Amino acid sequence: MKKQKHISIRIDADVLEKFHYVAKYDDRSASGQIMYLINHCIRAFEEKHGTIPVTENEN
């Protein structure tokens, strides 16, 4: 079972408000929208450059 990680970012209040608007429009939570965007970015990168190897960490 993979352990989920937590990240924190600093973001401008106006950008955050707009981001929440987009997430709601797409019927996603902010966290769900972030995961969608991250996964989209990874898929696009791997299509262009090949699979990214993942190492098993205990951290």
Side-chain angles (χ1 to χ4, degrees):
M1 183 170 141
K2 289 190 176 188
K3 186 175 181 182
Q4 290 190 350
K5 301 290 184 172
H6 177 269
I7 63 171
S8 178
I9 63 169
R10 296 183 192 279
I11 188 169
D12 179 80
D14 292 343
V15 173
L16 181 59
E17 184 177 343
K18 290 178 181 188
F19 182 76
H20 278 279
Y21 183 94
V22 172
K24 187 173 181 177
Y25 181 87
D26 287 340
D27 199 29
R28 294 187 181 98
S29 65
S31 182
Q33 185 74 4
I34 291 168
M35 288 307 306
Y36 168 80
L37 294 169
I38 289 170
N39 286 319
H40 178 77
C41 175
I42 291 169
R43 276 192 306 275
F45 182 93
E46 288 184 329
E47 284 178 9
K48 185 174 182 180
H49 301 285
T51 302
I52 302 168
V54 178
T55 58
E56 292 296 323
N57 290 326
E58 292 191 25
N59 295 329

